[in-house]
């Protein structure tokens, strides 16, 4: 049984329209998750360790103010296009589109005011919540009126996130959730003792601005071979890596498949990621620097969390040989990601 509660969480600043932000609490016997109508943000995700003790395993803030100020997309749904678009530029049907540059020379996670920074309308479901918004034609430079639905449902140990969209004009789209996890509990110093595996035979090498070079490289014999579980800290040392911020190329197909697994031996917590998406961005919080005050006055230093963002491949709009990211009128964008929490 999942219970769903709806609560007030705060009001947007007057300059942002002053709308009311609600919090939705989804609870089963093994997982409790809190989600905001602002940015569809997961603010809390509590799951049991092997002794049955609950801990909150996602980074975030105690108040709305934390989320309305600048932060690294904690827990949010990002779009229209997750990840990076080179030079914030693409051409579609002979017309060039220029997006806002918010990540060096590139556009990241939807631009200046992406889906993470807006209020969504909400509808309570028997075991979850569905958010909706209309992204108007030209918003952040993207073409077409885009209707978007993001649905969170909780059943037992499994949190499902479904993304659906329809457009009035052809547009690129790639939606994901940008939760930062630490299975030891948020506020823990690092994720070096986590064991991770990713079911991917290839990954995308990037240039010095984190844009894929276009090569689809085999993981075999490299530090990117995570097909067998590795202990993160030792693995980064062994391969002299500063951390991960790369797209791993998943086996293509529309069916649900297991794509990543994380195990935290001290607590016994495990997290599996299943998805229908073609890629997953593995990010180890390389840009966290301890400057943000998080929940319970925790600070979040470098490598104190990991993200596993299921997505289309970065800059695919400019790389014709990457899986297609275009949504056409009359079609439906429909992807689901499942997070399964357990103990071992």
């Amino acid at each position: 049984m999942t219970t769903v509660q709806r609560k007030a969480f705060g009001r947007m600043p007057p300059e942002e329209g002053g709308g009311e932000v609600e919090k939705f609490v989804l609870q089963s016997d093994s997982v409790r998750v809190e989600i905001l109508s602002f940015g569809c943000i997961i603010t809390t995700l509590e799951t049991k360790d092997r002794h049955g003790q609950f801990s909150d395993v996602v980074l975030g803030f105690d108040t709305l103010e934390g989320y309305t100020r600048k932060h690294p997309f904690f827990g949010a749904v990002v779009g229209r296009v997750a990840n990076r678009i080179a030079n914030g530029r693409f051409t579609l049907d002979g017309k060039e589109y220029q997006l806002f540059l918010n990540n060096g020379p590139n556009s990241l996670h939807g631009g200046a005011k992406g889906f993470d920074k807006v209020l969504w309308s909400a509808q309570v479901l028997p075991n979850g919540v569905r958010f909706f918004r209309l992204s108007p034609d030209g918003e952040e430079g993207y073409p077409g009126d885009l209707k978007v639905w993001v649905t969170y449902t909780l059943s037992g140990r499994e949190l499902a996130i479904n993304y659906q969209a329809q457009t009035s004009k052809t547009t690129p789209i790639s939606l994901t959730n940008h939760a930062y996890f630490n299975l030891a509990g948020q506020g823990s110093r690092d994720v070096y003792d986590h064991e991770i595996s990713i079911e991917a035979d290839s990954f995308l090498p990037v240039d010095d601005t984190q844009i894929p070079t276009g090569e689809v490289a085999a993981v075999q014999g490299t530090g990117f071979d995570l097909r067998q579980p590795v202990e993160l800290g030792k693995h980064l040392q062994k391969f002299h890596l500063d951390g991960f911020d790369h797209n791993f190329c998943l086996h293509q197909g529309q069916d649900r498949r297991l794509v990543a697994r994380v195990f935290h031996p001290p607590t016994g917590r495990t997290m599996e990621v299943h998805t229908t998406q073609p890629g997953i961005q593995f990010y180890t919080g390389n840009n966290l620097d301890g400057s943000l005050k998080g929940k319970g006055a925790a600070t979040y230093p470098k490598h104190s969390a990991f993200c596993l963002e299921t997505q289309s491949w970065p800059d695919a709009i400019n790389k014709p040989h990457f899986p297609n990211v275009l949504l056409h009128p009359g079609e439906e964008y429909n992807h689901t990601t499942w997070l399964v929490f357990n103990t071992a």
Side-chain angles (χ1 to χ4, degrees):
M1 260 302 286
T2 300
T3 60
V4 183
Q5 288 177 288
R6 183 175 198 159
K7 302 176 176 181
F9 188 71
R11 293 197 78 82
M12 294 295 290
E15 63 272 20
E16 295 283 342
E20 186 180 342
V21 178
E22 293 182 294
K23 174 171 78 175
F24 298 83
V25 184
L26 281 45
Q27 186 157 7
S28 70
D29 56 0
S30 44
V31 176
R32 182 175 177 277
V33 58
E34 300 183 2
I35 307 157
L36 300 183
S37 57
F38 176 70
C40 304
I41 290 170
I42 296 175
T43 60
T44 301
L45 200 157
E46 294 175 358
T47 178
K48 290 177 181 175
D49 67 9
R50 66 165 64 89
H51 303 297
Q53 296 293 310
F54 278 95
S55 280
D56 182 3
V57 297
V58 294
L59 276 53
F61 304 102
D62 289 321
T63 63
L64 178 59
E65 192 184 19
Y67 292 105
T68 56
R69 290 195 299 236
K70 186 172 168 57
H71 68 95
F73 306 96
F74 284 153
V77 164
V78 292
R80 253 181 222 197
V81 175
N83 216 306
R84 294 169 179 87
I85 294 178
N87 306 308
R89 212 176 291 142
F90 61 91
T91 303
L92 204 50
D93 299 329
K95 182 180 176 187
E96 184 171 283
Y97 293 87
Q98 180 64 55
L99 311 172
F100 185 78
L101 306 181
N102 61 334
N103 186 245
N106 307 314
S107 183
L108 174 71
H109 293 328
K113 189 177 180 182
F115 291 1
D116 59 299
K117 297 179 182 69
V118 292
L119 214 44
W120 295 61
S121 60
Q123 173 196 355
V124 170
L125 305 175
N127 62 338
V129 58
R130 176 177 291 132
F131 298 104
F132 170 78
R133 81 174 295 253
L134 173 68
S135 171
D137 186 15
E139 182 174 61
E140 285 298 320
Y142 288 99
D145 285 329
L146 187 75
K147 293 178 178 171
V148 190
W149 295 265
V150 177
T151 307
Y152 291 90
T153 48
L154 179 64
S155 60
R157 302 171 181 280
E158 180 175 278
L159 178 67
I161 313 173
N162 173 257
Y163 308 92
Q164 289 169 278
Q166 298 165 352
T167 186
S168 65
K169 294 179 186 171
T170 301
T171 185
I173 181 173
S174 174
L175 301 176
T176 193
N177 178 284
H178 207 312
Y180 286 68
F181 294 95
N182 186 320
L183 298 186
Q186 75 87 27
S188 300
R189 196 180 65 244
D190 58 56
V191 288
Y192 296 146
D193 59 355
H194 288 51
E195 294 176 5
I196 181 146
S197 58
I198 298 178
E199 301 277 331
D201 299 326
S202 52
F203 76 104
L204 301 180
V206 292
D207 67 17
D208 54 10
T209 73
Q210 299 299 117
I211 291 288
T213 60
E215 180 191 2
V216 180
V219 299
Q220 181 77 39
T222 74
F224 295 87
D225 191 346
L226 305 176
R227 292 173 295 184
Q228 296 299 318
V230 302
E231 188 180 321
L232 197 53
K234 288 179 180 166
H235 186 81
L236 293 177
Q237 277 185 320
K238 177 182 174 183
F239 288 96
H240 308 293
L241 296 169
D242 187 48
F244 288 95
D245 191 2
H246 295 78
N247 179 83
F248 286 76
C249 308
L250 304 175
H251 301 292
Q252 301 301 299
Q254 280 298 298
D255 296 334
R256 171 177 176 161
R257 56 215 185 279
L258 172 65
V259 296
R261 186 172 185 272
V262 187
F263 172 48
H264 184 241
T267 61
R269 286 192 184 92
T270 66
M271 179 175 114
E272 288 180 355
V273 183
H274 302 244
T275 193
T276 59
Q277 294 270 28
I280 189 166
Q281 186 86 2
F282 178 37
Y283 174 53
T284 49
N286 312 330
N287 297 320
L288 298 175
D289 60 7
S291 62
L292 288 171
K293 270 278 188 287
K295 290 180 280 194
T299 55
Y300 301 135
K302 182 174 179 171
H303 298 162
S304 61
F306 66 88
C307 304
L308 286 165
E309 304 155 69
T310 54
Q311 57 173 17
S312 295
W313 297 7
D315 200 35
I317 187 69
N318 293 311
K319 307 271 197 299
H321 60 295
F322 283 9
N324 173 46
V325 283
L326 291 179
L327 180 68
H328 301 279
E331 297 176 345
E332 183 172 67
Y333 176 90
N334 194 333
H335 279 291
T336 307
T337 293
W338 296 264
L339 304 176
V340 185
F341 299 92
N342 230 314
T343 52

